[in-house]
Amino acid sequence: MTEHAPTTYLLAGGGTAGHVNPLLAVADALRAREPEASVLVLGTKEGLEARLVPERGYELLIVDKVPFPRRPNAAAARFPLVWRRAVAQVRRHIRDRDVDVVVGFGGYASAPAYVAARREGIPYVVHEANARPGLANVLGARRAARVGVTFAGTPLRGGEVVGMPLRREIVELDRAALRDEAATTFGLDASRPVLLVFGGSLGARRLNDTLAESWPAIVGAGWQILHAAGERNELVDSAHPDYRIVPYLDRMDLAFALADAVVARSGAATVSELTALGIPAVYVPYAVGNGEQALNAASAVAAGAARLIPDAEFTPDRVRGEVVPLLADPETLGALRAAAEASAPAARAGTAAVVAQIDEALGRSAR
């Protein structure tokens, strides 16, 4: 194995958990295999990265938040100036810290990072989490040394399917070993099946409203429910011992350990994590936005590992008519579980695959 001088990596991204979590997964992998390296993160003061990155022990270098203009207005008129300033900020970071490679995960920090890397003559790698890519990555992919995508069919130039970089806590999760602890934590019975329902940190009104009316049918089919309804939800914990409502899940690993099936939104991270863990799911894609959540779920549905119900159709009657019969049919549910488990090994390899792309961009063989 050829020895290399300590490398300086600059990982750019942020704004949402969908950008920050895969970034941190790659950062952890780089630091674990190359303790002498410098792993830096580029983000904004406003994004989620401003809290999560320092908490994880990484230095956060700041770049101004520069949204691409969507319409002709005063912000659009100022854009060229603030854009040039953001690119200059990143170029200074690259020079001052002797950065060897930039890795972007989308979001406000990535677009100026790609341009700055190109102008400084260093390679950069693009990773796109969603099946429908964001503008920063669409533009960045044109000149990138390597481009990784989570889902097959993602329309990004040069995209190679590498999967989603996942947290080590997910990749290494031993669900069977944690099931008893998880059941005790949430006040449920480890010997009986559990349906996990969640819609993100703020919850999902459609899921909450539908479960409020349909949960007795699920419980009547012999299932317990663990429902993370969001901090702003109007639901209160039910009096029924088989239906547990919590605002949020501090220990998502324990929730996943307990879940025999899941009803959830289909953000890229959710789909990737459930696939990696081999848990069958019913996805209810968020209907607002550019339709990316339905596309995110498409590969799992095509593989037979999940079902999809459009948001507008996720009603109490649909739950009683489709979800409950699914949960009550061991053969059909088992087929979904088997398909999910068959897809799990590939889904767990995302972090290593992105690290390999970084090595390729640097002209190295994978370590």
Side-chain angles (χ1 to χ4, degrees), residues 42-300:
L42 180 76
T44 69
K45 294 178 181 178
E46 298 88 352
L48 193 61
E49 66 272 19
R51 176 174 62 86
L52 295 183
V53 168
E55 284 181 358
R56 197 67 156 255
Y58 295 101
E59 182 179 358
L60 180 68
L61 307 180
I62 299 298
V63 62
D64 290 343
K65 180 179 177 180
V66 186
F68 286 109
R70 303 289 181 177
R71 58 182 64 86
N73 54 22
R78 293 192 301 269
F79 177 77
L81 176 61
V82 296
W83 169 256
R84 286 195 297 270
R85 185 168 61 207
V87 172
Q89 288 172 338
V90 185
R91 293 185 72 178
R92 281 195 298 273
H93 289 316
I94 290 173
R95 290 194 299 268
D96 291 347
R97 307 307 290 268
D98 198 20
V99 171
D100 294 292
V101 61
V102 168
V103 188
F105 295 84
Y108 293 118
S110 291
Y114 299 146
V115 174
R118 191 171 73 245
R119 293 182 182 174
E120 290 297 315
I122 64 172
Y124 68 88
V125 175
V126 171
H127 182 269
E128 175 57 55
N130 289 297
R132 180 165 288 168
L135 183 57
N137 281 350
V138 169
L139 298 176
R142 296 174 180 175
R143 303 284 187 86
R146 291 291 186 275
V147 178
V149 299
T150 299
F151 302 107
T154 301
L156 208 56
R157 180 181 296 181
E160 174 189 355
V161 178
V162 295
M164 173 75 85
L166 297 176
R167 296 170 289 163
R168 188 172 57 187
E169 308 93 276
I170 297 298
V171 173
E172 298 177 356
L173 181 63
D174 187 336
R175 297 176 62 224
L178 285 176
R179 186 173 179 91
D180 286 344
E181 178 187 348
T184 299
T185 298
F186 296 115
L188 295 172
D189 183 350
S191 68
R192 297 173 53 223
V194 175
L195 176 68
L196 172 63
V197 181
F198 64 95
S201 60
L202 299 180
R205 180 175 294 276
R206 174 74 67 177
L207 271 60
N208 291 351
D209 291 349
T210 295
L211 262 292
E213 294 187 38
S214 60
W215 70 264
I218 298 171
V219 169
W223 281 66
Q224 304 168 99
I225 305 171
L226 175 59
H227 183 181
E231 296 185 50
R232 299 178 185 174
N233 81 88
E234 298 176 357
L235 302 178
V236 295
D237 199 5
S238 74
H240 198 289
D242 290 342
Y243 182 26
R244 297 284 295 127
I245 300 173
V246 296
Y248 55 91
L249 294 163
D250 279 336
R251 291 289 305 275
M252 201 69 194
D253 58 332
L254 293 181
F256 283 155
L258 196 58
D260 296 286
V262 169
V263 171
R265 292 301 198 197
S266 50
T270 296
V271 173
S272 298
E273 290 179 349
L274 293 179
T275 301
L277 294 171
I279 304 175
V282 175
Y283 291 119
V284 185
Y286 190 40
V288 177
N290 60 11
E292 67 186 31
Q293 287 210 353
L295 295 174
N296 292 344
S299 58

